[in-house]
Amino acid sequence: MKQIIILLLIANFQLQAQRILSERQRAEVVDSILEDRFNNLLPKLMDDTGFDMWILISREYNEDPVLKTMLPATWLNARRRTILVFYRNKEKNTIEKLAVARYNFGKNIVSAWNKEKEPNQWKRLIQIIEERNPDSIGLNYSDFFNICDGLVKTDYEAFMSYLPKQYESKVKSAEQLAIGWIETRTDTEMVIYNQLVDITHDIIAEAFSENVITAGITTTTDVEWWMRDKVTALGLETWFHPTVDVQRTAEELGNHLYAFSNRPEDMVILPGDLLHCDFGITYLRLNTDCQELAYVLKPNETKPPKYLVDALKDGNRVQDIFTNNFETGKTGNQVLKQSLEQGKSETLRPAIYTHPLGTYGHSSGTTLGMWDSQGGVPVTGDYPLHENTVYAIELNTTVTIPAWKRDIRIMLEEAGFWGKDGFRYVNGRQTKLLTIPRVKEHQGN
């Protein structure tokens, strides 16, 4: 019955892309997804990575990033010291979910600590370990994957000081398990994800329209703050401040940092400008990340110039080359190398800097280039592609525009899903430039 209710909520969500669920409805969806992930996804991840026990330790306001994704919908933070223990008995095909804490961890994880019986929280944790005698104990520490490095020094030292000697050799980094938990999306999450990206696209389309932009008056900074206000008005959040930048005939092409940190603020948007934005929202514990382009029509223009239309086609071609090289088991560095070589063989000038996307904007998983590491990324770029994962397909291609006597950069970013049936965009991609204002066909302008 609960699953039916959740599906009905999602169906209602689909009918009205910007109809945002109430907080109570969101909580129902979040807790239902967590229940599914704990009971159906986690056992498989533990089997695949060889762990029969996973221990996560956090304190209030200093949460392990992985534990934070497990918080019940009504918990905004951990409480006191929160310790979670997951024990997988593969022979019995069971998964135990225990909280060594004073409270049940929502409805999905029950409290396994009676302070009146055992006042010492660490000793109770050791009792749980000894009762189950695991073969392999995973802790969240990692040299290279920041989200998987959530166990703080003091908690690690305290845990190891209580752990009996015979278990010390069983303690290992849970890096692979933590990455799997963070990067893997369920079927229900992917239904929701489509709507998140749709909302993102709708906000960009409105921002890049005459509803927001008056050429000669509105500035890039005005549009950025409009996007922030729009998200807030919908009851959502952005996970980074939006950026809007301009490329035009009178300016030279800046470096890759231009669109993100070196661009001038409060640039007045003018007819003939090529606008670019970088924008993402957070909703139902998932994140979007999107870059799109718009052209500001000059008087008597009814469409963008052909050279900009063709430039966007070059950007789409780089996307196609890149995503056609996706293959389960390939590393990010392999996909990057193949894609750059193929793009250059077609006389394109691509740069690829794609990252995992999901419960975090810059998430854990396969790294496929960085703007300043086009030769590959050590360690994180050597991590292989797994199925049921989402990526921000972020890249650009440099295009020479003779009419402007300069190069421009076509910067694009869209959420893409890699699964058993191959690659697909979560909610489509931009293949036509937005125009400001929209063309009014009945008036011929």
Side-chain angles (χ1 to χ4, degrees):
M1 177 60 71
K2 182 188 292 185
Q3 202 65 26
I4 293 173
I5 293 171
I6 297 304
L7 290 173
L8 287 172
L9 285 173
I10 294 169
N12 188 33
F13 183 31
Q14 286 179 299
L15 291 173
Q16 303 179 57
Q18 286 194 24
R19 190 274 187 183
I20 308 303
L21 297 177
S22 70
E23 289 288 358
R24 183 172 182 173
Q25 290 173 322
R26 295 187 214 186
E28 292 175 11
V29 173
V30 166
D31 285 340
S32 177
I33 288 172
L34 282 173
E35 182 179 10
D36 177 38
R37 288 176 64 85
F38 285 137
N39 294 333
N40 300 310
L41 174 62
L42 184 56
K44 181 181 185 304
L45 294 175
M46 293 182 75
D47 293 347
D48 290 346
T49 54
F51 287 100
D52 56 352
M53 183 170 282
W54 190 16
I55 299 174
L56 296 86
I57 307 169
S58 276
R59 280 178 288 171
E60 197 166 6
Y61 309 130
N62 192 30
E63 288 80 15
D64 175 326
V66 177
L67 184 142
K68 197 162 188 175
T69 70
M70 300 175 172
L71 290 172
T74 55
W75 286 37
L76 304 185
N77 301 93
R79 297 177 181 175
R80 302 184 184 181
R81 176 180 277 109
T82 296
I83 301 175
L84 301 183
V85 179
F86 300 102
Y87 178 66
R88 168 66 170 158
N89 188 318
K90 195 172 181 180
E91 290 183 4
K92 296 181 179 179
N93 194 26
T94 58
I95 179 86
E96 280 189 277
K97 308 177 291 293
L98 306 172
V100 188
R102 292 290 282 157
Y103 316 93
N104 287 337
F105 197 76
K107 296 178 181 179
N108 290 310
I109 304 177
V110 298
S111 172
W113 179 34
N114 185 332
K115 192 174 181 181
E116 284 63 45
K117 285 187 176 181
E118 174 50 74
N120 189 304
Q121 188 180 19
W122 293 110
K123 288 184 178 180
R124 177 57 186 141
L125 173 60
I126 299 307
Q127 289 172 5
I128 290 171
I129 294 172
E130 291 178 328
E131 289 164 5
R132 288 152 184 81
N133 191 28
D135 293 325
S136 183
I137 300 171
L139 297 179
N140 285 355
Y141 57 87
S142 171
D143 287 333
F144 297 100
F145 290 86
N146 57 315
I147 294 172
C148 307
D149 191 37
L151 180 60
V152 300
K153 180 175 183 289
T154 50
D155 282 339
Y156 175 79
E157 291 176 346
F159 172 72
M160 295 304 293
S161 71
Y162 279 94
L163 188 69
K165 288 281 186 185
Q166 66 266 31
Y167 292 102
E168 289 182 2
S169 62
K170 298 183 178 184
V171 175
K172 302 174 183 177
S173 166
E175 178 183 273
Q176 299 293 311
L177 176 54
I179 294 172
W181 173 265
I182 291 294
E183 75 170 349
T184 307
R185 303 274 67 81
T186 64
D187 291 343
T188 302
E189 285 177 297
M190 288 314 302
V191 173
I192 291 169
Y193 226 138
N194 179 65
Q195 306 310 309
L196 263 75
V197 181
D198 193 36
I199 292 170
T200 305
H201 286 159
D202 283 350
I203 294 173
I204 292 173
E206 188 175 357
F208 280 172
S209 77
E210 62 271 25
N211 292 341
V212 175
I213 295 173
T214 300
I217 297 174
T218 308
T219 70
T220 52
T221 304
D222 291 336
V223 182
E224 291 168 357
W225 283 107
W226 180 91
M227 297 173 95
R228 281 290 295 271
D229 285 338
K230 177 69 175 182
V231 172
T232 301
L234 289 171
L236 304 177
E237 296 290 338
T238 54
W239 64 273
F240 64 94
H241 185 68
T243 62
V244 175
D245 59 274
V246 170
Q247 296 182 86
R248 56 174 60 130
T249 181
E251 310 225 349
E252 294 182 5
L253 181 64
N255 62 27
H256 278 73
L257 283 175
Y258 174 83
F260 306 103
S261 64
N262 289 346
R263 69 193 185 288
E265 294 185 355
D266 287 314
M267 285 188 69
V268 175
I269 296 168
L270 300 173
D273 283 349
L274 179 65
L275 298 185
H276 161 265
C277 72
D278 193 355
F279 172 65
I281 65 171
T282 301
Y283 183 35
L284 295 171
R285 297 198 176 174
L286 294 171
N287 295 275
T288 65
D289 200 356
C290 187
Q291 296 180 44
E292 293 196 348
L293 300 163
Y295 176 72
V296 186
L297 295 171
K298 296 178 180 178
N300 297 323
E301 278 187 326
T302 58
K303 59 185 179 181
K306 185 177 183 300
Y307 52 78
L308 293 183
V309 172
D310 291 342
L312 178 58
K313 289 180 181 177
D314 285 349
N316 290 150
R317 177 56 188 154
V318 174
Q319 289 175 323
D320 290 341
I321 291 170
F322 177 51
T323 58
N324 285 340
N325 280 317
F326 277 32
E327 184 180 318
T328 300
K330 272 187 184 179
T331 69
N333 288 335
Q334 288 174 324
V335 176
L336 175 70
K337 184 174 186 293
Q338 291 173 337
S339 301
L340 291 177
E341 288 178 351
Q342 184 178 345
K344 291 173 183 176
S345 73
E346 296 184 18
T347 69
L348 298 166
R349 289 184 282 169
I352 297 170
Y353 32 95
T354 286
H355 57 85
L357 184 69
T359 46
Y360 289 95
H362 293 153
S363 201
S364 281
T366 311
T367 300
L368 301 108
M370 292 184 177
W371 69 266
D372 56 351
S373 298
Q374 290 296 285
V377 183
V379 184
T380 58
D382 295 320
Y383 186 81
L385 280 168
H386 289 76
E387 293 178 1
N388 301 318
T389 50
V390 173
Y391 301 89
I393 306 300
E394 185 177 9
L395 46 76
N396 76 63
T397 189
T398 301
V399 179
T400 300
I401 305 296
W404 286 10
K405 299 180 181 179
R406 56 162 292 190
D407 287 343
I408 65 168
R409 193 171 284 129
I410 297 296
M411 296 172 281
L412 299 170
E413 186 171 19
E414 295 285 1
F417 175 72
W418 175 250
K420 62 181 175 61
D421 296 324
F423 177 85
R424 67 174 174 84
Y425 286 100
V426 174
N427 182 257
R429 61 169 174 170
Q430 183 177 25
T431 57
K432 293 183 179 180
L433 293 170
L434 294 165
T435 60
I436 307 164
R438 300 290 190 266
V439 177
K440 299 173 182 176
E441 299 288 352
H442 67 288
Q443 293 179 339
N445 60 54

